[in-house]
Amino acid sequence: MTSEGWGTPPVEPISQHYIVCGGNALAHRLVLELVEHYEVPVVVLLPDRTRDHAPWIEQLPGVAAVVECAGITEEALRAVRVETARGLALVDGHDEENIHAALGAQGCNPDIRIVLRMFNQRLGENIQHLLKNGAALSGSATAAPAFAAAALSRPNSVQVGDRFLHIAYDGDIDSGRICVVADQIDRQDLSRIRLLPDQDGDSAAFVRLAREFGDDGPIRPGGARRPPPAAETGVEEGGPGEPEAAVGGVAALQALPSEPPVLIGWWRRLRWRLLDTLRFFTSARLRLVLITALAAVLLAFGLLWYLNRDFGWSLYVSLLDLAGAAQPDQPAEATAGTGTGGAWQRVAQVVITFCGITFAPVATAIMVEVLGSGRRGQPRNPGAGTRDHVIVFGLGNVGTRVAAQLHGLGVPVVCVERDPQARGIAAVRALGIPVVVGDGPLEEQLRRARLKHGRALVAVSGDDATNLEAALEARHGKPGIRVVVRLFNDDFARHVYATLDNAASRSVSYLAAPAFAAALMGREVLGTLSVFRHVLLIAELRAEEGGGLVGMNRHDLEDPGGVRVIAVRPADSPGAYRWNYADRTRGLVPGDRIVVAATRSGLARINTALVGEG
């Protein structure tokens, strides 16, 4: 379809399908999720077949139909059979457009499940009350915690009840471990990772003992045990070796009592606050005048104190001189020796008086500049006191979220944005975060952002090549700096990760698409955790009366490589999380809730099973 008329006929009669509106990266990933993992029919409504990710979306196998229309109008929704659709995802356009389309779709099909992308989360929460069966998510808000955590080289966490869950690796795994989420981790070949591998339960040791001492167990005369056969250990007889599962590193889902704090000394916080305050109220020239005048006053005060040996009197005279209330000596007093002091004391008082005179116009200039800069909305560059900060390159939706989250953690942040009209500039400026704006050479922009004193660079613009350029330029300016790069292409990200040390790559659409797909299926995704480039979903499922979950137990739900039940919330005590619930045979009753760690395909299999049984 085009804006002038329908260039593509309406979709052939179809029902129980899902509609994805958009042609951006998130729409691309979401279609892949629905087609490959949930195996449901998908119809895509594109604004333009030739732009953004639309050409790749059209080539995806399994897509039922692709329709082109410049806007999401009621006519366009009827063309993609919204009246018989099961779900609708609005992941492109502005908040207002998505709200209008969601309400229009609900009017055509009151029972349809609607998931819309909203940048304004507060508005999204209120819109959810207007939708009978809908959810408002923010892709940038879903992905921002992962970027912020990667910049600080700390684990990203998801809150479940009163615990914060994160991924720990190898030696960092402690007694707070909930379950193993990956093994066979080879950092040089990440394709070997096994997510949610089958692991022995608590009774595994007793089972092995029973096998050894049973009727057919390998028992020596006299009760001594002999080693089990090679077939049971996984090691070939007569040669060294280890079981395949023991090769490589291990990652585990681990609980912390609280979100790990960022430890910054109070003196450093006070120093940064004072410097930021001075920078906010003064320009470089005014600071030079103030510092010069203050230094002259201090030197003159020191001279008065030295000549009179009386601190209180020297302070009293200095303050009067600053206020312009000094009483000069008369010639007769100077001749008679009854004045305030000698020639050097008079010089000091003259200096203090003239410096005091300069403070009034300087204060006026400061007020004029503050009011003027506030009216112009001009962001300020970072000052000389900026140290140990994180540089956020790109102030789109994601960059704004990442900068705000780092600022909320007490971490100094400097933002770099090439587009003076970017809406994120005003948002971060309201938080007091300095911004470097301009389309000059990237090297100069990073220098102005005080790269040499920074701790990390987060490149989150909308272009992979631009983000990589920023990362490489940062490494050139400061070798060894931590870089976090937003990349869409998986192969590109894999090469970057293998080439650059102390680097991490994240994809917003890759992190957000599983949450949008699960929400479209009616599953409440609490958050996403990354195991390198793989995504692990933490979701909560509710057993509804007559639903497919009722009667299922842990054996039925868990699937090695796909799903692991980590907590149960019984209907009789919904506020209590029973972690690693021991009774694996107890069937769920209506009102029970379970928290699962699942891969994208694992959560899709649960949805498919529940749809088939429901």
Side-chain angles (χ1 to χ4, degrees):
M1 298 179 187
T2 64
S3 57
E4 293 79 14
W6 300 105
T8 301
V11 176
E12 295 297 328
I14 187 174
S15 62
Q16 301 301 305
H17 60 290
Y18 290 85
I19 303 170
V20 177
C21 299
N24 55 11
L26 179 56
H28 188 178
R29 293 282 190 187
L30 180 55
V31 172
L32 278 174
E33 288 283 330
L34 296 173
V35 172
E36 294 184 356
H37 299 288
Y38 290 90
E39 299 179 351
V40 294
V42 178
V43 175
V44 184
L45 183 60
L46 296 173
D48 190 337
R49 290 178 182 268
T50 61
R51 298 182 59 186
D52 213 353
H53 287 255
W56 291 277
I57 293 176
E58 281 197 282
Q59 298 174 7
L60 293 177
V63 176
V66 176
V67 178
E68 180 184 8
C69 185
I72 309 176
T73 62
E74 183 177 349
E75 186 180 12
L77 291 174
R78 293 193 180 280
V80 292
R81 308 295 181 184
V82 69
E83 64 276 2
T84 60
R86 189 162 191 164
L88 170 68
L90 301 163
V91 294
D92 208 347
H94 299 293
D95 289 356
E96 296 80 3
E97 297 174 359
N98 290 336
I99 293 172
H100 180 74
L103 295 177
Q106 183 174 254
C108 297
N109 184 354
D111 296 325
I112 191 173
R113 173 70 174 176
I114 301 175
V115 175
L116 62 160
R117 191 197 69 177
M118 297 285 294
F119 177 77
N120 189 330
Q121 287 184 288
R122 181 61 180 172
L123 178 59
E125 293 174 0
N126 294 327
I127 289 298
Q128 288 183 151
H129 299 298
L130 299 179
L131 300 177
K132 179 182 177 181
N133 183 17
L137 303 179
S138 170
S140 57
T142 303
F147 282 94
L152 301 177
S153 300
R154 54 185 286 202
N156 181 34
S157 60
V158 174
Q159 184 175 4
V160 181
D162 59 349
R163 297 192 182 188
F164 290 86
L165 308 184
H166 72 102
I167 303 296
Y169 297 93
D170 301 327
D172 295 330
I173 301 174
D174 58 24
S175 58
R177 181 188 77 177
I178 295 177
C179 66
V180 173
V181 296
D183 64 3
Q184 297 187 11
I185 298 176
D186 183 355
R187 296 174 185 265
Q188 301 301 320
D189 184 9
L190 297 178
S191 62
R192 298 182 57 194
I193 291 180
R194 294 194 311 173
L195 292 178
L196 296 175
D198 190 11
Q199 62 177 5
D200 294 335
D202 296 336
S203 61
F206 297 99
V207 173
R208 284 194 292 269
L209 286 175
R211 287 178 177 175
E212 291 187 27
F213 287 97
D215 294 337
D216 299 326
I219 307 298
R220 288 182 180 176
R225 288 183 293 161
R226 64 174 181 265
E232 296 184 16
T233 62
V235 182
E236 295 183 2
E237 189 174 1
E242 290 182 348
E244 184 180 357
V247 178
V250 177
L253 187 64
Q254 197 161 283
L256 296 173
S258 62
E259 183 74 8
V262 178
L263 300 178
I264 299 178
W266 67 270
W267 170 247
R268 297 174 69 187
R269 289 178 182 270
L270 179 60
R271 185 181 63 184
W272 289 332
R273 179 62 63 185
L274 292 175
L275 290 172
D276 288 343
T277 302
L278 184 63
R279 287 177 52 250
F280 179 79
F281 285 107
T282 61
S283 64
R285 292 181 179 178
L286 288 179
R287 285 198 297 272
L288 180 60
V289 172
L290 284 175
I291 291 173
T292 303
L294 181 61
V297 169
L298 291 177
L299 287 175
F301 169 76
L303 180 59
L304 288 176
W305 187 12
Y306 174 77
L307 294 174
N308 296 279
R309 306 294 181 176
D310 188 337
F311 179 83
W313 187 87
S314 300
L315 180 62
Y316 169 72
V317 172
S318 298
L319 292 177
L320 288 179
D321 291 341
L322 278 174
Q327 294 295 329
D329 291 343
Q330 299 301 320
E333 296 175 340
T335 304
T338 59
T340 57
W344 284 110
Q345 180 167 324
R346 296 189 185 96
V347 170
Q349 288 187 264
V350 169
V351 170
I352 294 176
T353 302
F354 274 94
C355 290
I357 293 173
T358 64
F359 284 147
V362 168
T364 304
I366 289 175
M367 295 304 299
V368 171
E369 182 178 357
V370 169
L371 294 175
S373 62
R375 288 193 298 268
R376 294 192 306 268
Q378 294 294 330
R380 295 182 176 275
N381 292 331
T386 305
R387 295 285 193 280
D388 200 26
H389 57 287
V390 176
I391 301 173
V392 178
F393 179 81
L395 284 179
N397 292 347
V398 181
T400 305
R401 300 277 190 191
V402 173
Q405 182 158 10
L406 290 170
H407 179 75
L409 292 173
V411 179
V413 182
V414 174
C415 298
V416 178
E417 174 56 55
R418 291 184 168 182
D419 182 10
Q421 304 302 321
R423 63 177 180 178
I425 294 177
V428 299
R429 179 177 177 269
L431 298 174
I433 300 175
V435 185
V436 176
V437 182
D439 56 357
L442 186 56
E443 179 183 5
E444 174 62 19
Q445 289 183 318
L446 293 178
R447 186 193 65 79
R448 291 169 57 194
R450 302 190 60 79
L451 172 68
K452 289 186 177 297
H453 300 284
R455 63 192 294 185
L457 170 80
V458 182
V460 286
S461 73
D463 181 67
D464 285 5
T466 302
N467 292 334
L468 182 60
E469 178 188 3
L472 295 177
E473 192 64 51
R475 279 294 173 85
H476 176 74
K478 184 179 180 180
I481 189 174
R482 172 83 170 163
V483 293
V484 181
V485 189
R486 174 185 178 182
L487 297 174
F488 176 84
N489 188 285
D490 288 339
D491 293 332
F492 194 14
R494 192 175 297 111
H495 290 311
V496 169
Y497 186 84
T499 304
L500 294 177
D501 296 328
N502 195 21
S505 63
R506 299 287 186 270
S507 168
V508 174
S509 57
Y510 196 84
L511 292 168
F516 276 78
L520 195 59
M521 298 298 167
R523 305 285 171 251
E524 184 180 356
V525 176
L526 303 178
T528 60
L529 297 174
S530 58
V531 184
F532 295 96
R533 288 285 293 182
H534 300 274
V535 173
L536 191 67
L537 303 175
I538 308 298
E540 187 174 49
L541 311 178
R542 178 184 172 88
E544 303 284 357
E545 184 70 42
L549 280 178
V550 175
M552 299 181 70
N553 55 36
R554 285 188 63 180
H555 288 295
D556 301 326
L557 290 166
E558 291 191 341
D559 177 22
V563 179
R564 183 70 46 78
V565 178
I566 60 177
V568 177
R569 295 173 59 189
D572 54 0
S573 55
Y577 286 84
R578 300 184 181 180
W579 299 93
N580 287 328
Y581 193 61
D583 189 354
R584 303 179 64 87
T585 60
R586 175 187 176 274
L588 297 177
V589 299
D592 283 350
R593 292 177 178 268
I594 58 172
V595 181
V596 300
T599 61
R600 296 171 300 162
S601 57
L603 195 61
R605 284 195 294 270
I606 287 184
N607 178 77
T608 303
L610 297 186
V611 170
E613 295 179 17

